[in-house]
Amino acid sequence: MASETARNIGPIILLGPPGAGKGTQSKQIMQHYCIPQVSTGDLLRDHVQRQTPLGLEAKAIMERGELVPDELMYGIVAKRLREPDSRYGYILDGFPRTAAQAGWLDAFLEKELFDNDYPPRPPIVIRLNVDYTQLLLRITGRRSCPTCGRIYNVHSRPPRIDELCDLDGTKLTQRDDDRKEIIAGRLAAYEVQTKPVADYYEARGRLVSVNADREVEEVTAEILAIIDSHASARA
Ligand code: AMP
């Protein structure tokens, strides 16, 4: 993945509630800088599927929706971040999830700084801020066409005929976890889980907030500008 023109960007951490656009923005960042996304959930699911000792230990914990112990996480994260495609940077997805993990990541990167020809940079931590009411409208209004996959929003991007796909007339559907009663719980859980990580970086003056209540392209432009300025400031 890393091309000759790739720059040393370092780790990028996007924080933001469900529906804030993390997935969309991650994709833009990956393409722009040719860096991979490192998802700890995916790494763990791979271990579970291969039935490795770690996978066997993690499986039940994941099924209960709890956090896998830090000591298990550190091994797989360190191994993944030492892969050649992570040399110039990566987007971390699902890590760090606790303040302890954030502290471990800083220590890990500092150690690699001395052991490596391509010194890793400290993480760029960007929080996507969205207004709670807007977020609810964005998520609860989301509908998709089960036939062609086209996405609509009954508030901001409605179909021409109520609840029917413009392209093929199929009745639009709503994801179960996008329903209002469920999303309120997901948002509350997000706040509780992520706050310690956001607090960790904020206390160190390393949290940059972006207003994500705007068009996707505008948000992307600001994120890329932030990454560029951090990257060149440290080049
Ligand atoms: P995700 O795909 O990010 O939702 O992660 C799925 C599951 O993997 C979580 O519910 C946790 O059980 C586990 N997991 C993923 N990332 C971490 C992490 N950083 N620390 C602890 N457990 C994790």
Side-chain angles (χ1 to χ4, degrees), residues 1 19 27 44 48 74 86 108 123 132 138 158 172 182-183 194 213 215 223-224 227 229 235:
M1 257 242 200
K27 227 173 265 163
L44 286 167
V48 170
Y74 298 157
S86 305
F108 170 81
Y132 188 80
R138 209 191 274 189
L172 302 179
I182 303 212
I183 195 61
T194 317
D213 275 330
E215 293 295 323
I223 291 176
L224 298 184
I227 297 173
S229 76

Side-chain angles (χ1 to χ4, degrees), residues 17-28:
K22 283 197 305 270
T24 308
Q25 297 300 341
S26 291
K27 227 173 265 163
Q28 302 296 328

Side-chain angles (χ1 to χ4, degrees), residues 40-41 44-45 61-62 65-68 73 94-95 97 101:
T40 43
L44 286 167
R45 280 184 284 276
I61 301 171
M62 293 170 72
E66 294 167 9
L67 290 184
V68 172
M73 296 307 300
F95 190 94
R97 257 194 173 72
Q101 291 182 0

Side-chain angles (χ1 to χ4, degrees), residues 134-166:
Q134 283 299 324
L135 197 60
L136 272 185
L137 285 179
R138 209 191 274 189
I139 302 175
T140 57
R142 210 150 52 179
R143 301 285 186 279
S144 63
C145 171
T147 304
C148 70
R150 187 171 179 157
I151 309 278
Y152 296 85
N153 189 295
V154 294
H155 309 294
S156 58
R157 191 169 183 256
R160 279 195 297 271
I161 303 170
D162 243 11
E163 300 287 330
L164 297 183
C165 179
D166 290 350

Side-chain angles (χ1 to χ4, degrees), residues 19 31 77 97 118 147 216 226 231:
Q31 279 169 7
V77 173
R97 257 194 173 72
Y118 289 88
T147 304
V216 171
I226 291 169

Side-chain angles (χ1 to χ4, degrees), residues 43-97:
L43 291 175
L44 286 167
R45 280 184 284 276
D46 179 55
H47 276 271
V48 170
Q49 206 208 341
R50 289 188 288 120
Q51 304 192 345
T52 64
L54 188 148
L56 294 175
E57 202 170 338
K59 186 169 188 281
I61 301 171
M62 293 170 72
E63 279 169 358
R64 289 197 300 273
E66 294 167 9
L67 290 184
V68 172
D70 288 346
E71 307 72 55
L72 294 185
M73 296 307 300
Y74 298 157
I76 57 169
V77 173
K79 181 167 181 292
R80 179 65 186 87
L81 300 189
R82 288 186 180 124
E83 298 280 333
D85 70 336
S86 305
R87 176 184 270 187
Y88 299 106
Y90 40 85
I91 303 174
L92 281 171
D93 176 10
F95 190 94
R97 257 194 173 72

